[in-house]
Amino acid sequence: KQMLKILEDSLKKIVNLMDEPTQEERPILPSDRPSFIEKNTNVADSYELALANRAELNQARITLANQELAFKLAKNQILPKLDMLASYKLTGNDPHYGDTINEVFARDAYSWEAGMVLEIPLGNRLANSQYSQEKMKLRQAKIKLDSTKKDILLEVRKVVREIETNRERIELTRTARLLAEEKLKAEEERFKLGRSTTTDLLKFQEELSLAKSNENRALVDCQKSLSRWKAATGRTIEENNIEVVSTVKD
């Protein structure tokens, strides 16, 4: 009973009811019982969902892509540079301005030229230093992406095992609760016939109450595991039917 009061106070604090004197002593009653909804939560499928939806993984991919571009740019700065040049000009050679304009439009006189410019960087310390830095950053970005994938896989495995364990607990506690109900029913019949005492009846009632509590705890723990599964797979918003509306106007 004391633990129940402590949990009620914790919940009232979360929903800002602790500051209202009229609400302080009012009990919190659940509107429904804990339930279990079967969901496909195997490791392989869950990991695929996580790879597609986890925000930190998408950010690591973006970081890696940006770093690959930065590395390519730095690499280009230390490579020889070859430029192709070409030009074509229309000219007018008449000493009179008007006649010169006519020659240009008539395209009677023209000139063209073509060539190549080769630049070979010698002792370009700044470019070489930048190249080395970007190469190291690229390697770090790859390591970060791999590490993030491994961490997510471990998280997914852990939460899937929790769900499997809690599913087994639900089955065991449900069986125990049904057995306790049958025992209490039989004991009530014995009590009606005068073959049992009030003490014996209370004992079976307590056993049923404990069995129901264990079943509810297993159901709640499984729901918590499913919530962690949603977070691990990056599908908390979708699974809870939450719609994100953009406030940016076109």
Side-chain angles (χ1 to χ4, degrees):
K1 186 175 181 180
Q2 182 180 1
M3 180 58 66
L4 178 61
K5 288 294 184 182
I6 292 175
L7 294 175
E8 282 185 352
D9 288 342
S10 299
L11 183 56
K12 289 176 182 178
K13 181 180 179 181
I14 293 174
V15 297
N16 295 322
L17 293 179
M18 292 296 293
D19 296 334
E20 300 182 22
T22 57
Q23 302 290 341
E24 184 175 352
E25 297 301 327
R26 294 183 63 179
I28 296 178
L29 301 177
S31 59
D32 56 2
R33 296 184 68 255
S35 60
F36 173 69
I37 300 175
E38 189 67 34
K39 182 177 288 292
N40 181 20
T41 57
N42 65 76
V43 174
D45 292 342
S46 299
Y47 184 54
E48 289 298 323
L49 287 173
L51 292 179
N53 296 298
R54 287 289 289 263
E56 63 268 41
L57 190 57
N58 292 331
Q59 183 59 51
R61 291 192 184 104
I62 293 173
T63 300
L64 178 58
N66 291 337
Q67 193 54 48
E68 286 176 343
L69 292 176
F71 172 73
K72 290 179 180 178
L73 178 61
K75 185 178 180 180
N76 286 337
Q77 301 305 311
I78 64 173
L79 297 176
K81 181 180 179 181
L82 179 62
D83 293 329
M84 302 294 294
L85 302 176
S87 64
Y88 177 83
K89 300 178 182 178
L90 297 174
T91 61
N93 299 320
D94 196 284
H96 298 93
Y97 177 76
D99 294 333
T100 300
I101 295 298
N102 291 333
E103 287 184 5
V104 171
F105 281 104
R107 300 182 181 181
D108 292 332
Y110 61 87
S111 65
W112 62 272
E113 59 182 16
M116 294 184 296
V117 177
L118 177 64
E119 295 181 8
I120 301 177
L122 299 175
N124 194 346
R125 295 182 180 179
L126 179 60
N128 286 324
S129 175
Q130 187 68 25
Y131 169 76
S132 298
Q133 292 179 14
E134 297 301 337
K135 184 177 181 180
M136 181 179 297
K137 290 180 181 179
L138 178 60
R139 182 172 177 271
Q140 292 173 346
K142 291 179 179 179
I143 293 174
K144 177 63 176 178
L145 178 59
D146 291 339
S147 176
T148 302
K149 288 181 178 180
K150 291 177 182 178
D151 290 342
I152 290 176
L153 177 58
L154 291 176
E155 183 179 351
V156 167
R157 283 178 176 173
K158 179 180 178 181
V159 73
V160 168
R161 287 168 183 162
E162 286 182 3
I163 294 174
E164 291 174 351
T165 299
N166 287 324
R167 281 173 177 164
E168 294 175 358
R169 285 179 57 204
I170 290 174
E171 292 300 323
L172 291 173
T173 55
R174 179 178 294 143
T175 301
R177 188 255 304 166
L178 292 173
L179 180 60
E181 288 177 348
E182 292 295 327
K183 287 183 177 180
L184 177 60
K185 185 178 179 180
E187 192 65 22
E188 287 174 343
E189 293 297 326
R190 287 169 56 84
F191 183 76
K192 290 178 182 179
L193 297 174
R195 297 178 181 177
S196 177
T197 65
T198 304
T199 302
D200 293 331
L201 186 62
L202 288 174
K203 176 184 176 183
F204 283 97
Q205 289 175 343
E206 290 176 355
E207 289 180 354
L208 177 58
S209 178
L210 178 60
K212 288 182 178 180
S213 177
N214 291 335
E215 183 183 12
N216 287 335
R217 187 176 295 109
L219 288 167
V220 170
D221 288 344
C222 194
Q223 286 294 333
K224 290 179 179 179
S225 297
L226 286 172
S227 295
R228 286 192 288 271
W229 176 84
K230 294 174 185 178
T233 56
R235 290 185 54 82
T236 299
I237 294 178
E238 292 83 358
E239 292 289 336
N240 290 285
N241 298 318
I242 298 174
E243 182 180 358
V244 180
V245 180
S246 175
T247 58
V248 179
K249 296 182 179 180
D250 296 334

